[in-house]
Amino acid sequence: MERNKALAATISLLAATGLTACGGGGGGGGGNGDDSATSFQKQFSESDSYDVIENPSSFNLKSTTLAVTNPDGSNIDGSLAAGMDDTDYYGAVDPDAINDPDNDADATNNAWWQGWTYRNGSVDGNFPGSSNFHPLEDEIKNSMSPDTNDGSCPKGTHKGTTSAFGDSYDVCALADGDITGSTATLNNEHIWLLTETVNIGDGGDQNNSAGTGDVVLTIEPGTMVMGASSGTVDDVALVITRGSQIKVQGTKEQPVIMGAVDFDGTTITGDVTDLTDRGEWGGLVVDGLATVNSAATPGNAPGNGGSVASEAVPDGKDRYFGGGTDNDNSGEIRYLIIAESGYAFREDQEVQGLTLEGVGSGTTATDGGPFVDYLQVLGSEDDGVEWFGGTAGMNHVVINGQDDDGLDQDLGWQGKVQYALILMGADNGNRAMETDGNGDDFDAKPYTAPTIANLTVIGNSGGDSSDTLAHLAREGYRGNIHRTVYTDDPNNGTKFKTACIDVDEMSGSSWLDDSPLTYEDVVFNCDNGALADADD
C-alpha cells in the first residue's frame, strides 16, 4: 500500500483486519483511567499528524549498509526541527552510501556506522559482514603506543600489566575518590580499570546540585576503560555527577571503548579486547541539572527544578539528579563504544549502557553537534540508552543486541535524535523504543516529547518471553517521529513477534485532543501489522 496523507486507506485496512491501538487502564503504573482504542484509532486516521507508508510493495533494505533504497524518499517534504539535517530519505543510512568490506575508517562515502563500530559474530544483533572487527586492532598494532610499563599510574593504583593485540599495557585501577581536582585525563597509554562505582564530582548530593567539587574528565582517543568483573568486585559503573563534565574525545580511527574484563583483585585475568559478554558492569551514567517531571522525591513537584533520586546506584548509596536548567552542559561524547553493560545493582534493576539523568542540551563540542555523536551500545543486559528527563540530544547511534529496549525514554525527556540504528537480536530484545511519561501522572509536565528522525529499527524475535515490537508509546508520551523505518528483517527472514507499534495507557481525551504523537514520513514494514492488536 502506498502513502496516504490522512492514512484513511491504511486505517481501513487495519479496521478490516481487526488491528487496534491498545487501551490502557491496567498495568504500567498510573491509573489515569481507561483509554478508548476506538478514539485513538479515529484520531490516528483523521489527523494530518500521521503520514506513513504501510508495507510498501517493493521495500528494499540493503544487506551491506542497512540503507533503505525503496521507498526512495521522493515524496518526503517539509523541514525538520532546528539543528537537524533535512534529509531526503527514509531511515538511518543514506542510500548512496557504499559498503566498505575492509572497514577502512578513511574510506569516503561509506555508511556512517562502518569503520568504527565493533563487530563480532557472537554478538546478538551483529552487523553485516563476514569477519570480526575491533576498531582499535590496527591502531594498536601500527600507530598507538602504550606507556613504558614502568609500574606507575597517573591516577589510581597499579595492578600489573595486560596485553591488547600484542602490546603490554600498565593497568591503573580506579576506585571512588581517585579522580579529583578540577580536571583529569584518562589517556590511551594505560588500561583503566574501574573496581567500584566511580563518581566524578560531588553533584550527586541532594543539597549540592551546583557541585562544589566539579571535575572535567577528559578521555583521549583510543582509550580503553574497563569495569572489573569477578566474584570479588561488583556494582561497577562510571558516573558523572551534576555540575561535572565528561569529554569523550574518540575519533573514527580511534574510538573510546568502555567494556568489562575479568579481574581477580590483583590482576586482569580476561581479555580487554573481547567485548562479547553481557551484564558485567553498570555502564556510563551522566547526571545533569535539567528538568525532570518526576515527583518521586518529596518537594519535587513536576517541573519545579527539584532533585530526583537515581535508581542507578549501589545498595546503601544515594545520588540525585535534575534541576531547572535545560541548557545545562555535561560536556560531550564523540565516538564511544559501550559494551557488556546491564549489571543489576538490585534484583530486576539493571543499569543500561548509557544512562542520561536530567542531562541538558548544552555541550562543549565545537562541531555543532549534540551532546552525543557516534555511539555504539552492544550486548547490554538491559537498555541501550535511557533518558530520565532532560533535553540532551544524540546523533549517529547504534544499539545492537540489547536485552530490553534500544532507546528508552522517560520522565519528560525533550531532546532530539537523528540517525539511529537499532538491530534487534534473535535471543535478546524487547522493544526497540519504549517511551513513557510519568507513571504516577500521565499529564505531568514537561511531557516526554522528543523529536526523532532517520531511525531504522530492524526486527527480530528477541528473548523467549518478549513480545518484540518497534515502538511502545504510553503514559501520555508525546513524540515526533520523522523519516523513520520500522521493519522486519527481509534479508535474514526474522521479524517482530507483535507489530510495528503499540500505543497504551494514555491519559484519555486530553491526550487525543492534543494530537501529540506525530508520525511523519514513516515506513511500517511489519508482517504482523502496523498497530498491535493486544488486550492490555
Side-chain angles (χ1 to χ4, degrees), residues 88 113 187 299:
D88 60 357
W113 58 263
N187 62 35

Side-chain angles (χ1 to χ4, degrees), residues 194-215:
L194 309 177
T195 58
E196 61 181 336
T197 291
V198 175
N199 294 280
I200 307 301
D202 60 359
D205 294 342
Q206 185 174 11
N207 298 316
N208 191 29
S209 61
T212 57
D214 295 343
V215 178

Side-chain angles (χ1 to χ4, degrees), residues 171-496:
V171 176
C172 298
L174 298 173
D176 196 28
D178 282 345
I179 296 181
T180 57
S182 60
T183 62
T185 299
L186 303 184
N187 62 35
N188 61 22
E189 298 176 354
H190 303 78
I191 301 296
W192 299 92
L193 181 72
L194 309 177
T195 58
E196 61 181 336
T197 291
V198 175
N199 294 280
I200 307 301
D202 60 359
D205 294 342
Q206 185 174 11
N207 298 316
N208 191 29
S209 61
T212 57
D214 295 343
V215 178
V216 177
L217 175 65
T218 299
I219 304 180
E220 292 183 347
T223 300
M224 289 179 277
V225 181
M226 313 302 291
S229 173
S230 74
T232 61
V233 177
D234 56 16
D235 294 351
V236 174
L238 178 62
V239 178
I240 312 301
T241 67
R242 294 181 294 185
S244 291
Q245 294 180 341
I246 183 170
K247 295 184 178 181
V248 175
Q249 298 182 332
T251 65
K252 187 172 184 179
E253 296 77 16
Q254 296 182 2
V256 170
I257 293 178
M258 297 183 179
V261 68
D262 289 338
F263 174 66
D264 65 7
T266 303
T267 59
I268 286 178
T269 58
D271 180 0
V272 296
T273 68
D274 183 351
L275 305 178
T276 60
D277 217 330
R278 312 178 62 87
E280 296 297 313
W281 72 302
L284 173 63
V285 181
V286 183
D287 289 347
L289 290 160
T291 306
V292 181
N293 74 12
S294 174
T297 301
N300 182 43
N304 78 347
S307 296
V308 180
S310 175
E311 296 180 354
V313 292
D315 276 337
K317 304 286 186 180
D318 293 314
R319 192 182 69 252
Y320 292 83
F321 66 92
T325 308
D326 285 343
N327 65 346
D328 183 45
N329 188 338
S330 293
E332 62 188 274
I333 293 174
R334 295 293 181 269
Y335 286 101
L336 172 64
I337 297 170
I338 302 175
E340 306 174 310
S341 60
Y343 177 83
F345 283 170
R346 286 163 299 282
E347 185 175 359
D348 296 326
Q349 290 191 3
E350 300 87 358
V351 183
Q352 37 283 326
L354 176 61
T355 304
L356 300 176
E357 299 181 321
V359 178
S361 59
T363 174
T364 59
T366 60
D367 56 14
F371 174 59
V372 178
D373 204 357
Y374 296 96
L375 169 73
Q376 180 187 18
V377 180
L378 70 147
S380 172
E381 196 68 2
D382 191 50
D383 303 325
V385 178
E386 185 162 10
W387 289 266
F388 294 90
T391 54
M394 184 178 298
N395 285 352
H396 302 104
V397 55
V398 175
I399 312 292
N400 50 328
Q402 84 284 352
D403 189 60
D404 195 5
D405 309 313
L407 302 178
D408 198 338
Q409 307 156 39
D410 304 284
L411 300 182
W413 173 57
Q414 300 176 83
K416 301 172 185 175
V417 173
Q418 189 167 22
Y419 311 116
L421 181 60
I422 303 175
L423 287 75
M424 303 291 282
D427 302 309
N428 299 274
N430 192 5
R431 294 110 180 199
M433 289 204 303
E434 182 177 280
T435 58
D436 300 318
N438 183 317
D440 297 310
D441 180 1
F442 295 173
D443 286 317
K445 294 181 179 61
Y447 297 119
T448 303
T451 299
I452 297 172
N454 295 105
L455 163 69
T456 298
V457 175
I458 300 176
N460 211 326
S461 54
D464 291 340
S465 61
S466 297
D467 292 328
T468 54
L469 49 82
H471 184 189
L472 172 63
R474 60 187 180 185
E475 296 179 359
Y477 175 76
R478 289 155 161 81
N480 304 284
I481 316 298
H482 305 270
R483 303 175 195 186
T484 282
V485 176
Y486 298 154
T487 181
D488 299 329
D489 189 344
N491 298 313
N492 294 309
T494 60
K495 62 184 180 180
F496 294 107

